[in-house]
Amino acid sequence: MERIIDGHTRMYCLIGSPVGHSGSPAMYNYSFERLGINSAYLAYDVPLEKTGEAVAALRLFNAGGFNVTMPCKTEVTKYLDRLSPACELIGASNCVVCESDGTLTGHNTDGLGFVANLRVHGVDVKGAKMVVLGAGGAATAVTMQSALDGASEIRIFNRKGYTFYPNAELTVKKLAERVPGCKASVTDLFDTEALAEAVKDCDILVNATKVGMAPLDGETLIDKSLFRRDLVVCDTVYNPKETRMIVEAKAAGVRAAIGGIGMLLRQGVEGFRLFTGAEMPADEVMEKFFA
């Protein structure tokens, strides 16, 4: 089917930095074409300090909606009119719907995508002890959704004194107040001894930092000697498809080594539904772009 861009084509996009590696444009544009939806999806490299300007421009252009990636997920909530309950709890948005009346509503599908991706691989967070590396938007979404879905303990590791450490402290406070069944804590990522002990004691290890993504591809935060056969190792980075951490976890024979591609797909499925009310052809998208 030939795609025709005309005066009625609705624009959707991704903002954040970097975005050149993103699979979202291909995934959404294929789905628009497959379902006969007159829309197009682009990607715009937007640094953190330009988030407000980007939102104002998209509002002016009457975009149908937009996704948000690092480092803008937390910052973007300041410029939205309304937040979904999950988005408000997480404090970050990765999916913004432009309503017919011009209202911008923030949602967060990262956590849902993460948990759904684990389930595809036979892993349930209920009752699990988790270690989450990072405290930005994706990390917070993973932490909050995992707690809501029944994780028993979540230990967050982030560099103390860096931008997101206070965000991790706030996450711990929110969980204590709203999800008291999940024990949460935050520790300095530079405390390598504490990190090693936490990994040895956890069921699921999650990297939700930029480490593993260009220009940090080839790097890892976890010494491969910490991997063991009953450990589940997850990465939210999806380009490269397998980060160094995932490659080394597979080589060590862990229970499951799960890259970020599935999380991207499944949060995209939910975002597509929010944008269009239609169901993304998920199996086709996975086979065509991510297999």
Side-chain angles (χ1 to χ4, degrees), residues 154-192:
I154 302 178
R155 297 191 63 178
I156 304 167
F157 284 81
N158 196 81
R159 289 183 174 90
K160 195 167 187 177
Y162 282 62
T163 304
F164 292 123
Y165 197 86
N167 193 48
E169 293 176 315
L170 180 59
T171 295
V172 170
K173 181 180 178 182
K174 284 182 178 180
L175 288 178
E177 294 172 349
R178 305 186 196 185
V179 195
C182 179
K183 180 182 177 183
S185 62
V186 56
T187 305
D188 188 354
L189 186 58
F190 285 130
D191 189 340
T192 54

PDB file of all heavy atoms in Angstrom, residues 154-192:
ATOM      1  N   ILE A 154      12.682  -3.987  46.727  1.00  0.00           N
ATOM      2  CA  ILE A 154      13.376  -3.358  45.603  1.00  0.00           C
ATOM      3  C   ILE A 154      14.491  -2.473  46.146  1.00  0.00           C
ATOM      4  O   ILE A 154      14.239  -1.540  46.907  1.00  0.00           O
ATOM      5  CB  ILE A 154      12.422  -2.515  44.735  1.00  0.00           C
ATOM      6  CG1 ILE A 154      11.286  -3.380  44.196  1.00  0.00           C
ATOM      7  CG2 ILE A 154      13.196  -1.866  43.574  1.00  0.00           C
ATOM      8  CD1 ILE A 154      10.264  -2.620  43.375  1.00  0.00           C
ATOM      9  N   ARG A 155      15.719  -2.790  45.757  1.00  0.00           N
ATOM     10  CA  ARG A 155      16.869  -1.985  46.150  1.00  0.00           C
ATOM     11  C   ARG A 155      17.325  -1.180  44.938  1.00  0.00           C
ATOM     12  O   ARG A 155      17.711  -1.746  43.916  1.00  0.00           O
ATOM     13  CB  ARG A 155      17.994  -2.872  46.680  1.00  0.00           C
ATOM     14  CG  ARG A 155      17.622  -3.641  47.943  1.00  0.00           C
ATOM     15  CD  ARG A 155      18.812  -4.303  48.585  1.00  0.00           C
ATOM     16  NE  ARG A 155      19.796  -3.324  49.036  1.00  0.00           N
ATOM     17  CZ  ARG A 155      20.927  -3.633  49.679  1.00  0.00           C
ATOM     18  NH1 ARG A 155      21.209  -4.911  49.925  1.00  0.00           N
ATOM     19  NH2 ARG A 155      21.762  -2.700  50.054  1.00  0.00           N
ATOM     20  N   ILE A 156      17.253   0.132  45.052  1.00  0.00           N
ATOM     21  CA  ILE A 156      17.632   1.040  43.973  1.00  0.00           C
ATOM     22  C   ILE A 156      19.083   1.474  44.179  1.00  0.00           C
ATOM     23  O   ILE A 156      19.481   1.835  45.292  1.00  0.00           O
ATOM     24  CB  ILE A 156      16.728   2.282  43.969  1.00  0.00           C
ATOM     25  CG1 ILE A 156      15.249   1.876  43.862  1.00  0.00           C
ATOM     26  CG2 ILE A 156      17.107   3.228  42.828  1.00  0.00           C
ATOM     27  CD1 ILE A 156      14.297   3.018  44.171  1.00  0.00           C
ATOM     28  N   PHE A 157      19.858   1.452  43.101  1.00  0.00           N
ATOM     29  CA  PHE A 157      21.239   1.933  43.150  1.00  0.00           C
ATOM     30  C   PHE A 157      21.404   3.056  42.135  1.00  0.00           C
ATOM     31  O   PHE A 157      21.124   2.879  40.950  1.00  0.00           O
ATOM     32  CB  PHE A 157      22.227   0.803  42.857  1.00  0.00           C
ATOM     33  CG  PHE A 157      22.417  -0.136  44.015  1.00  0.00           C
ATOM     34  CD1 PHE A 157      21.500  -1.150  44.259  1.00  0.00           C
ATOM     35  CD2 PHE A 157      23.488   0.025  44.883  1.00  0.00           C
ATOM     36  CE1 PHE A 157      21.657  -2.011  45.337  1.00  0.00           C
ATOM     37  CE2 PHE A 157      23.656  -0.832  45.975  1.00  0.00           C
ATOM     38  CZ  PHE A 157      22.735  -1.850  46.201  1.00  0.00           C
ATOM     39  N   ASN A 158      21.853   4.212  42.625  1.00  0.00           N
ATOM     40  CA  ASN A 158      22.092   5.370  41.762  1.00  0.00           C
ATOM     41  C   ASN A 158      23.257   6.157  42.336  1.00  0.00           C
ATOM     42  O   ASN A 158      23.505   6.129  43.547  1.00  0.00           O
ATOM     43  CB  ASN A 158      20.844   6.256  41.700  1.00  0.00           C
ATOM     44  CG  ASN A 158      20.900   7.227  40.534  1.00  0.00           C
ATOM     45  OD1 ASN A 158      20.599   6.869  39.405  1.00  0.00           O
ATOM     46  ND2 ASN A 158      21.284   8.460  40.791  1.00  0.00           N
ATOM     47  N   ARG A 159      23.981   6.849  41.470  1.00  0.00           N
ATOM     48  CA  ARG A 159      25.128   7.614  41.948  1.00  0.00           C
ATOM     49  C   ARG A 159      24.674   8.754  42.851  1.00  0.00           C
ATOM     50  O   ARG A 159      23.908   9.614  42.432  1.00  0.00           O
ATOM     51  CB  ARG A 159      25.927   8.162  40.765  1.00  0.00           C
ATOM     52  CG  ARG A 159      26.677   7.083  39.989  1.00  0.00           C
ATOM     53  CD  ARG A 159      27.505   7.689  38.872  1.00  0.00           C
ATOM     54  NE  ARG A 159      28.336   6.690  38.228  1.00  0.00           N
ATOM     55  CZ  ARG A 159      27.970   5.953  37.183  1.00  0.00           C
ATOM     56  NH1 ARG A 159      26.769   6.129  36.659  1.00  0.00           N
ATOM     57  NH2 ARG A 159      28.786   5.064  36.659  1.00  0.00           N
ATOM     58  N   LYS A 160      25.158   8.741  44.075  1.00  0.00           N
ATOM     59  CA  LYS A 160      24.792   9.785  45.029  1.00  0.00           C
ATOM     60  C   LYS A 160      25.404  11.112  44.592  1.00  0.00           C
ATOM     61  O   LYS A 160      26.551  11.184  44.166  1.00  0.00           O
ATOM     62  CB  LYS A 160      25.296   9.415  46.427  1.00  0.00           C
ATOM     63  CG  LYS A 160      24.662  10.235  47.539  1.00  0.00           C
ATOM     64  CD  LYS A 160      24.954   9.621  48.899  1.00  0.00           C
ATOM     65  CE  LYS A 160      24.178  10.340  49.987  1.00  0.00           C
ATOM     66  NZ  LYS A 160      24.397   9.712  51.314  1.00  0.00           N
ATOM     67  N   GLY A 161      24.594  12.167  44.688  1.00  0.00           N
ATOM     68  CA  GLY A 161      25.068  13.476  44.273  1.00  0.00           C
ATOM     69  C   GLY A 161      24.739  13.801  42.829  1.00  0.00           C
ATOM     70  O   GLY A 161      24.928  14.927  42.390  1.00  0.00           O
ATOM     71  N   TYR A 162      24.224  12.808  42.090  1.00  0.00           N
ATOM     72  CA  TYR A 162      23.833  13.028  40.704  1.00  0.00           C
ATOM     73  C   TYR A 162      22.344  13.382  40.627  1.00  0.00           C
ATOM     74  O   TYR A 162      21.593  13.243  41.588  1.00  0.00           O
ATOM     75  CB  TYR A 162      24.147  11.792  39.850  1.00  0.00           C
ATOM     76  CG  TYR A 162      25.604  11.671  39.481  1.00  0.00           C
ATOM     77  CD1 TYR A 162      26.588  11.519  40.459  1.00  0.00           C
ATOM     78  CD2 TYR A 162      26.017  11.718  38.160  1.00  0.00           C
ATOM     79  CE1 TYR A 162      27.927  11.407  40.122  1.00  0.00           C
ATOM     80  CE2 TYR A 162      27.358  11.607  37.808  1.00  0.00           C
ATOM     81  CZ  TYR A 162      28.303  11.447  38.802  1.00  0.00           C
ATOM     82  OH  TYR A 162      29.631  11.338  38.478  1.00  0.00           O
ATOM     83  N   THR A 163      21.919  13.810  39.445  1.00  0.00           N
ATOM     84  CA  THR A 163      20.583  14.379  39.244  1.00  0.00           C
ATOM     85  C   THR A 163      19.460  13.534  39.818  1.00  0.00           C
ATOM     86  O   THR A 163      18.546  14.057  40.468  1.00  0.00           O
ATOM     87  CB  THR A 163      20.321  14.596  37.735  1.00  0.00           C
ATOM     88  OG1 THR A 163      21.355  15.429  37.203  1.00  0.00           O
ATOM     89  CG2 THR A 163      18.978  15.257  37.507  1.00  0.00           C
ATOM     90  N   PHE A 164      19.489  12.231  39.590  1.00  0.00           N
ATOM     91  CA  PHE A 164      18.330  11.406  39.903  1.00  0.00           C
ATOM     92  C   PHE A 164      18.335  10.809  41.310  1.00  0.00           C
ATOM     93  O   PHE A 164      17.382  10.123  41.684  1.00  0.00           O
ATOM     94  CB  PHE A 164      18.192  10.283  38.871  1.00  0.00           C
ATOM     95  CG  PHE A 164      17.829  10.779  37.496  1.00  0.00           C
ATOM     96  CD1 PHE A 164      18.638  10.493  36.403  1.00  0.00           C
ATOM     97  CD2 PHE A 164      16.684  11.526  37.299  1.00  0.00           C
ATOM     98  CE1 PHE A 164      18.307  10.948  35.134  1.00  0.00           C
ATOM     99  CE2 PHE A 164      16.332  11.993  36.037  1.00  0.00           C
ATOM    100  CZ  PHE A 164      17.147  11.700  34.950  1.00  0.00           C
ATOM    101  N   TYR A 165      19.379  11.045  42.099  1.00  0.00           N
ATOM    102  CA  TYR A 165      19.400  10.450  43.439  1.00  0.00           C
ATOM    103  C   TYR A 165      18.230  10.937  44.299  1.00  0.00           C
ATOM    104  O   TYR A 165      17.571  10.118  44.963  1.00  0.00           O
ATOM    105  CB  TYR A 165      20.732  10.718  44.140  1.00  0.00           C
ATOM    106  CG  TYR A 165      20.967   9.795  45.319  1.00  0.00           C
ATOM    107  CD1 TYR A 165      21.545   8.542  45.134  1.00  0.00           C
ATOM    108  CD2 TYR A 165      20.600  10.162  46.607  1.00  0.00           C
ATOM    109  CE1 TYR A 165      21.754   7.685  46.192  1.00  0.00           C
ATOM    110  CE2 TYR A 165      20.801   9.304  47.679  1.00  0.00           C
ATOM    111  CZ  TYR A 165      21.380   8.071  47.468  1.00  0.00           C
ATOM    112  OH  TYR A 165      21.565   7.212  48.516  1.00  0.00           O
ATOM    113  N   PRO A 166      17.925  12.234  44.303  1.00  0.00           N
ATOM    114  CA  PRO A 166      16.747  12.690  45.063  1.00  0.00           C
ATOM    115  C   PRO A 166      15.455  12.054  44.557  1.00  0.00           C
ATOM    116  O   PRO A 166      14.526  11.812  45.339  1.00  0.00           O
ATOM    117  CB  PRO A 166      16.743  14.208  44.843  1.00  0.00           C
ATOM    118  CG  PRO A 166      18.165  14.545  44.549  1.00  0.00           C
ATOM    119  CD  PRO A 166      18.680  13.381  43.746  1.00  0.00           C
ATOM    120  N   ASN A 167      15.391  11.766  43.272  1.00  0.00           N
ATOM    121  CA  ASN A 167      14.220  11.097  42.715  1.00  0.00           C
ATOM    122  C   ASN A 167      14.079   9.694  43.298  1.00  0.00           C
ATOM    123  O   ASN A 167      12.964   9.234  43.595  1.00  0.00           O
ATOM    124  CB  ASN A 167      14.337  11.019  41.193  1.00  0.00           C
ATOM    125  CG  ASN A 167      13.035  10.630  40.520  1.00  0.00           C
ATOM    126  OD1 ASN A 167      11.988  11.183  40.825  1.00  0.00           O
ATOM    127  ND2 ASN A 167      13.106   9.674  39.610  1.00  0.00           N
ATOM    128  N   ALA A 168      15.210   9.013  43.484  1.00  0.00           N
ATOM    129  CA  ALA A 168      15.188   7.685  44.094  1.00  0.00           C
ATOM    130  C   ALA A 168      14.715   7.763  45.539  1.00  0.00           C
ATOM    131  O   ALA A 168      13.928   6.922  46.000  1.00  0.00           O
ATOM    132  CB  ALA A 168      16.584   7.057  44.033  1.00  0.00           C
ATOM    133  N   GLU A 169      15.165   8.769  46.261  1.00  0.00           N
ATOM    134  CA  GLU A 169      14.725   8.945  47.652  1.00  0.00           C
ATOM    135  C   GLU A 169      13.223   9.201  47.715  1.00  0.00           C
ATOM    136  O   GLU A 169      12.528   8.685  48.603  1.00  0.00           O
ATOM    137  CB  GLU A 169      15.502  10.103  48.290  1.00  0.00           C
ATOM    138  CG  GLU A 169      16.982   9.813  48.468  1.00  0.00           C
ATOM    139  CD  GLU A 169      17.754  10.999  49.016  1.00  0.00           C
ATOM    140  OE1 GLU A 169      17.538  12.137  48.527  1.00  0.00           O
ATOM    141  OE2 GLU A 169      18.567  10.791  49.945  1.00  0.00           O
ATOM    142  N   LEU A 170      12.704   9.978  46.755  1.00  0.00           N
ATOM    143  CA  LEU A 170      11.272  10.240  46.701  1.00  0.00           C
ATOM    144  C   LEU A 170      10.503   8.962  46.375  1.00  0.00           C
ATOM    145  O   LEU A 170       9.428   8.716  46.940  1.00  0.00           O
ATOM    146  CB  LEU A 170      10.984  11.315  45.651  1.00  0.00           C
ATOM    147  CG  LEU A 170       9.507  11.708  45.476  1.00  0.00           C
ATOM    148  CD1 LEU A 170       8.927  12.232  46.782  1.00  0.00           C
ATOM    149  CD2 LEU A 170       9.371  12.752  44.369  1.00  0.00           C
ATOM    150  N   THR A 171      11.038   8.145  45.488  1.00  0.00           N
ATOM    151  CA  THR A 171      10.402   6.873  45.142  1.00  0.00           C
ATOM    152  C   THR A 171      10.283   5.983  46.371  1.00  0.00           C
ATOM    153  O   THR A 171       9.238   5.378  46.620  1.00  0.00           O
ATOM    154  CB  THR A 171      11.203   6.153  44.045  1.00  0.00           C
ATOM    155  OG1 THR A 171      11.148   6.926  42.845  1.00  0.00           O
ATOM    156  CG2 THR A 171      10.654   4.761  43.776  1.00  0.00           C
ATOM    157  N   VAL A 172      11.351   5.904  47.145  1.00  0.00           N
ATOM    158  CA  VAL A 172      11.342   5.099  48.370  1.00  0.00           C
ATOM    159  C   VAL A 172      10.276   5.614  49.342  1.00  0.00           C
ATOM    160  O   VAL A 172       9.519   4.835  49.943  1.00  0.00           O
ATOM    161  CB  VAL A 172      12.734   5.108  49.035  1.00  0.00           C
ATOM    162  CG1 VAL A 172      12.684   4.479  50.420  1.00  0.00           C
ATOM    163  CG2 VAL A 172      13.744   4.374  48.152  1.00  0.00           C
ATOM    164  N   LYS A 173      10.180   6.927  49.460  1.00  0.00           N
ATOM    165  CA  LYS A 173       9.179   7.526  50.349  1.00  0.00           C
ATOM    166  C   LYS A 173       7.760   7.222  49.871  1.00  0.00           C
ATOM    167  O   LYS A 173       6.882   6.855  50.662  1.00  0.00           O
ATOM    168  CB  LYS A 173       9.392   9.039  50.416  1.00  0.00           C
ATOM    169  CG  LYS A 173       8.414   9.760  51.334  1.00  0.00           C
ATOM    170  CD  LYS A 173       8.679  11.260  51.349  1.00  0.00           C
ATOM    171  CE  LYS A 173       7.669  11.984  52.238  1.00  0.00           C
ATOM    172  NZ  LYS A 173       7.889  13.456  52.218  1.00  0.00           N
ATOM    173  N   LYS A 174       7.518   7.361  48.565  1.00  0.00           N
ATOM    174  CA  LYS A 174       6.188   7.083  48.010  1.00  0.00           C
ATOM    175  C   LYS A 174       5.793   5.634  48.222  1.00  0.00           C
ATOM    176  O   LYS A 174       4.643   5.330  48.569  1.00  0.00           O
ATOM    177  CB  LYS A 174       6.160   7.412  46.512  1.00  0.00           C
ATOM    178  CG  LYS A 174       6.100   8.887  46.177  1.00  0.00           C
ATOM    179  CD  LYS A 174       6.021   9.071  44.668  1.00  0.00           C
ATOM    180  CE  LYS A 174       5.911  10.524  44.267  1.00  0.00           C
ATOM    181  NZ  LYS A 174       5.838  10.682  42.783  1.00  0.00           N
ATOM    182  N   LEU A 175       6.730   4.718  48.011  1.00  0.00           N
ATOM    183  CA  LEU A 175       6.422   3.306  48.188  1.00  0.00           C
ATOM    184  C   LEU A 175       6.113   2.978  49.641  1.00  0.00           C
ATOM    185  O   LEU A 175       5.221   2.175  49.931  1.00  0.00           O
ATOM    186  CB  LEU A 175       7.573   2.439  47.676  1.00  0.00           C
ATOM    187  CG  LEU A 175       7.731   2.392  46.152  1.00  0.00           C
ATOM    188  CD1 LEU A 175       8.939   1.552  45.763  1.00  0.00           C
ATOM    189  CD2 LEU A 175       6.480   1.832  45.491  1.00  0.00           C
ATOM    190  N   ALA A 176       6.841   3.595  50.560  1.00  0.00           N
ATOM    191  CA  ALA A 176       6.577   3.373  51.986  1.00  0.00           C
ATOM    192  C   ALA A 176       5.163   3.816  52.352  1.00  0.00           C
ATOM    193  O   ALA A 176       4.488   3.185  53.179  1.00  0.00           O
ATOM    194  CB  ALA A 176       7.604   4.116  52.831  1.00  0.00           C
ATOM    195  N   GLU A 177       4.713   4.896  51.708  1.00  0.00           N
ATOM    196  CA  GLU A 177       3.392   5.446  52.017  1.00  0.00           C
ATOM    197  C   GLU A 177       2.262   4.717  51.288  1.00  0.00           C
ATOM    198  O   GLU A 177       1.194   4.486  51.855  1.00  0.00           O
ATOM    199  CB  GLU A 177       3.355   6.929  51.636  1.00  0.00           C
ATOM    200  CG  GLU A 177       4.277   7.808  52.472  1.00  0.00           C
ATOM    201  CD  GLU A 177       4.360   9.225  51.931  1.00  0.00           C
ATOM    202  OE1 GLU A 177       3.864   9.472  50.799  1.00  0.00           O
ATOM    203  OE2 GLU A 177       4.924  10.093  52.627  1.00  0.00           O
ATOM    204  N   ARG A 178       2.495   4.352  50.018  1.00  0.00           N
ATOM    205  CA  ARG A 178       1.401   3.852  49.183  1.00  0.00           C
ATOM    206  C   ARG A 178       1.460   2.363  48.867  1.00  0.00           C
ATOM    207  O   ARG A 178       0.439   1.761  48.536  1.00  0.00           O
ATOM    208  CB  ARG A 178       1.366   4.650  47.870  1.00  0.00           C
ATOM    209  CG  ARG A 178       1.273   6.164  48.096  1.00  0.00           C
ATOM    210  CD  ARG A 178       1.089   6.894  46.785  1.00  0.00           C
ATOM    211  NE  ARG A 178       1.378   8.317  46.920  1.00  0.00           N
ATOM    212  CZ  ARG A 178       1.205   9.209  45.951  1.00  0.00           C
ATOM    213  NH1 ARG A 178       0.740   8.807  44.782  1.00  0.00           N
ATOM    214  NH2 ARG A 178       1.501  10.484  46.143  1.00  0.00           N
ATOM    215  N   VAL A 179       2.644   1.780  48.937  1.00  0.00           N
ATOM    216  CA  VAL A 179       2.781   0.339  48.691  1.00  0.00           C
ATOM    217  C   VAL A 179       3.661  -0.253  49.797  1.00  0.00           C
ATOM    218  O   VAL A 179       4.781  -0.717  49.551  1.00  0.00           O
ATOM    219  CB  VAL A 179       3.398   0.052  47.302  1.00  0.00           C
ATOM    220  CG1 VAL A 179       3.195  -1.418  46.917  1.00  0.00           C
ATOM    221  CG2 VAL A 179       2.806   0.940  46.221  1.00  0.00           C
ATOM    222  N   PRO A 180       3.168  -0.213  51.036  1.00  0.00           N
ATOM    223  CA  PRO A 180       4.004  -0.627  52.174  1.00  0.00           C
ATOM    224  C   PRO A 180       4.398  -2.096  52.151  1.00  0.00           C
ATOM    225  O   PRO A 180       5.324  -2.500  52.857  1.00  0.00           O
ATOM    226  CB  PRO A 180       3.111  -0.314  53.391  1.00  0.00           C
ATOM    227  CG  PRO A 180       1.710  -0.325  52.848  1.00  0.00           C
ATOM    228  CD  PRO A 180       1.822   0.209  51.447  1.00  0.00           C
ATOM    229  N   GLY A 181       3.728  -2.900  51.327  1.00  0.00           N
ATOM    230  CA  GLY A 181       4.090  -4.311  51.238  1.00  0.00           C
ATOM    231  C   GLY A 181       5.391  -4.562  50.510  1.00  0.00           C
ATOM    232  O   GLY A 181       5.927  -5.672  50.552  1.00  0.00           O
ATOM    233  N   CYS A 182       5.903  -3.537  49.858  1.00  0.00           N
ATOM    234  CA  CYS A 182       7.184  -3.657  49.154  1.00  0.00           C
ATOM    235  C   CYS A 182       8.239  -2.855  49.906  1.00  0.00           C
ATOM    236  O   CYS A 182       8.127  -1.640  50.039  1.00  0.00           O
ATOM    237  CB  CYS A 182       7.052  -3.143  47.723  1.00  0.00           C
ATOM    238  SG  CYS A 182       8.599  -3.224  46.781  1.00  0.00           S
ATOM    239  N   LYS A 183       9.264  -3.522  50.375  1.00  0.00           N
ATOM    240  CA  LYS A 183      10.361  -2.856  51.084  1.00  0.00           C
ATOM    241  C   LYS A 183      11.300  -2.230  50.049  1.00  0.00           C
ATOM    242  O   LYS A 183      11.840  -2.910  49.173  1.00  0.00           O
ATOM    243  CB  LYS A 183      11.129  -3.873  51.929  1.00  0.00           C
ATOM    244  CG  LYS A 183      12.292  -3.287  52.708  1.00  0.00           C
ATOM    245  CD  LYS A 183      13.020  -4.381  53.473  1.00  0.00           C
ATOM    246  CE  LYS A 183      14.244  -3.827  54.201  1.00  0.00           C
ATOM    247  NZ  LYS A 183      14.998  -4.911  54.900  1.00  0.00           N
ATOM    248  N   ALA A 184      11.486  -0.905  50.145  1.00  0.00           N
ATOM    249  CA  ALA A 184      12.319  -0.204  49.162  1.00  0.00           C
ATOM    250  C   ALA A 184      13.438   0.565  49.837  1.00  0.00           C
ATOM    251  O   ALA A 184      13.284   1.052  50.971  1.00  0.00           O
ATOM    252  CB  ALA A 184      11.466   0.752  48.333  1.00  0.00           C
ATOM    253  N   SER A 185      14.566   0.684  49.140  1.00  0.00           N
ATOM    254  CA  SER A 185      15.706   1.430  49.673  1.00  0.00           C
ATOM    255  C   SER A 185      16.520   1.972  48.512  1.00  0.00           C
ATOM    256  O   SER A 185      16.383   1.534  47.369  1.00  0.00           O
ATOM    257  CB  SER A 185      16.594   0.525  50.540  1.00  0.00           C
ATOM    258  OG  SER A 185      17.141  -0.532  49.763  1.00  0.00           O
ATOM    259  N   VAL A 186      17.382   2.967  48.803  1.00  0.00           N
ATOM    260  CA  VAL A 186      18.278   3.507  47.793  1.00  0.00           C
ATOM    261  C   VAL A 186      19.692   3.547  48.348  1.00  0.00           C
ATOM    262  O   VAL A 186      19.902   3.888  49.520  1.00  0.00           O
ATOM    263  CB  VAL A 186      17.842   4.913  47.321  1.00  0.00           C
ATOM    264  CG1 VAL A 186      17.725   5.884  48.479  1.00  0.00           C
ATOM    265  CG2 VAL A 186      18.802   5.455  46.250  1.00  0.00           C
ATOM    266  N   THR A 187      20.656   3.171  47.507  1.00  0.00           N
ATOM    267  CA  THR A 187      22.061   3.094  47.908  1.00  0.00           C
ATOM    268  C   THR A 187      22.916   3.706  46.806  1.00  0.00           C
ATOM    269  O   THR A 187      22.555   3.647  45.626  1.00  0.00           O
ATOM    270  CB  THR A 187      22.484   1.625  48.133  1.00  0.00           C
ATOM    271  OG1 THR A 187      21.601   1.019  49.082  1.00  0.00           O
ATOM    272  CG2 THR A 187      23.917   1.534  48.652  1.00  0.00           C
ATOM    273  N   ASP A 188      24.029   4.275  47.195  1.00  0.00           N
ATOM    274  CA  ASP A 188      24.964   4.866  46.235  1.00  0.00           C
ATOM    275  C   ASP A 188      25.524   3.781  45.319  1.00  0.00           C
ATOM    276  O   ASP A 188      26.020   2.748  45.781  1.00  0.00           O
ATOM    277  CB  ASP A 188      26.101   5.539  47.008  1.00  0.00           C
ATOM    278  CG  ASP A 188      27.032   6.346  46.113  1.00  0.00           C
ATOM    279  OD1 ASP A 188      26.876   6.309  44.876  1.00  0.00           O
ATOM    280  OD2 ASP A 188      27.921   7.016  46.664  1.00  0.00           O
ATOM    281  N   LEU A 189      25.437   4.012  44.010  1.00  0.00           N
ATOM    282  CA  LEU A 189      25.949   3.058  43.034  1.00  0.00           C
ATOM    283  C   LEU A 189      27.454   2.859  43.156  1.00  0.00           C
ATOM    284  O   LEU A 189      27.998   1.817  42.780  1.00  0.00           O
ATOM    285  CB  LEU A 189      25.596   3.539  41.616  1.00  0.00           C
ATOM    286  CG  LEU A 189      25.910   2.614  40.448  1.00  0.00           C
ATOM    287  CD1 LEU A 189      25.202   1.267  40.599  1.00  0.00           C
ATOM    288  CD2 LEU A 189      25.508   3.266  39.134  1.00  0.00           C
ATOM    289  N   PHE A 190      28.143   3.856  43.717  1.00  0.00           N
ATOM    290  CA  PHE A 190      29.588   3.735  43.917  1.00  0.00           C
ATOM    291  C   PHE A 190      29.941   2.795  45.077  1.00  0.00           C
ATOM    292  O   PHE A 190      31.109   2.432  45.248  1.00  0.00           O
ATOM    293  CB  PHE A 190      30.208   5.110  44.188  1.00  0.00           C
ATOM    294  CG  PHE A 190      30.318   5.970  42.960  1.00  0.00           C
ATOM    295  CD1 PHE A 190      29.843   7.270  42.970  1.00  0.00           C
ATOM    296  CD2 PHE A 190      30.889   5.485  41.790  1.00  0.00           C
ATOM    297  CE1 PHE A 190      29.937   8.075  41.843  1.00  0.00           C
ATOM    298  CE2 PHE A 190      30.988   6.283  40.659  1.00  0.00           C
ATOM    299  CZ  PHE A 190      30.511   7.588  40.686  1.00  0.00           C
ATOM    300  N   ASP A 191      28.952   2.405  45.861  1.00  0.00           N
ATOM    301  CA  ASP A 191      29.183   1.444  46.947  1.00  0.00           C
ATOM    302  C   ASP A 191      29.164   0.050  46.340  1.00  0.00           C
ATOM    303  O   ASP A 191      28.163  -0.672  46.383  1.00  0.00           O
ATOM    304  CB  ASP A 191      28.097   1.588  48.019  1.00  0.00           C
ATOM    305  CG  ASP A 191      28.399   0.785  49.279  1.00  0.00           C
ATOM    306  OD1 ASP A 191      29.216  -0.160  49.204  1.00  0.00           O
ATOM    307  OD2 ASP A 191      27.805   1.085  50.331  1.00  0.00           O
ATOM    308  N   THR A 192      30.266  -0.335  45.740  1.00  0.00           N
ATOM    309  CA  THR A 192      30.337  -1.585  44.984  1.00  0.00           C
ATOM    310  C   THR A 192      30.145  -2.821  45.868  1.00  0.00           C
ATOM    311  O   THR A 192      29.614  -3.837  45.406  1.00  0.00           O
ATOM    312  CB  THR A 192      31.687  -1.696  44.252  1.00  0.00           C
ATOM    313  OG1 THR A 192      32.762  -1.534  45.186  1.00  0.00           O
ATOM    314  CG2 THR A 192      31.797  -0.622  43.171  1.00  0.00           C
TER     315      THR A 192
END
